Amino acid sequence: QVQLVESGGGAVQAGGSLRLSCSASAYNYRSKFMGWFRQAPGKEREGVASIYTGGGTTYYADSVKGRFTITQDNAKSTVYLQMNSLKPDDTAMYYCATARVLVDPLMTSEYDYWGQGTQVTVSS
């Protein structure tokens, strides 16, 4: 059974940085889409960043472009989300997800497997 495990969340002040990790087990994550999503209380889950592990193409939501970077480590079957210049609006539960094929890399409904999430809290 596919397992995605997120880690690296925490509490930071505005302007700080965090690096989230998503480790995939029991899963050939090569040539797949791996995405990061977030959900704040009372809001819908939204796509943050995605990477196609087959070639490294990346996709970002406008709200995080220039601040967040998604990368992959094929040897570890792990995807990272480096988050810099964090803002209070970035506060949310962050989820990792994977899909084999999709049309919109940041569309929540197109992903097949999800992790349990890791909380990110940014204080002003």
Side-chain angles (χ1 to χ4, degrees), residues 14-83:
S17 298
L18 284 172
R19 189 178 80 155
L20 306 184
S21 299
C22 172
S23 178
S25 62
Y27 184 62
N28 180 5
Y29 101 135
R30 293 179 183 269
S31 299
K32 304 292 194 302
F33 288 89
M34 299 290 293
W36 283 100
F37 297 79
R38 66 186 181 187
Q39 188 167 19
K43 294 187 177 181
E44 292 187 357
R45 192 171 297 187
E46 63 175 356
V48 174
S50 178
I51 187 167
Y52 178 61
T53 62
T57 303
T58 57
Y59 309 85
Y60 295 96
D62 289 342
S63 59
V64 305
K65 280 182 182 176
R67 300 189 298 122
F68 291 10
T69 303
I70 187 170
T71 57
Q72 62 185 88
D73 184 334
N74 291 341
K76 297 181 179 179
S77 297
T78 298
V79 172
Y80 303 98
L81 185 67
Q82 178 67 43
M83 305 187 296

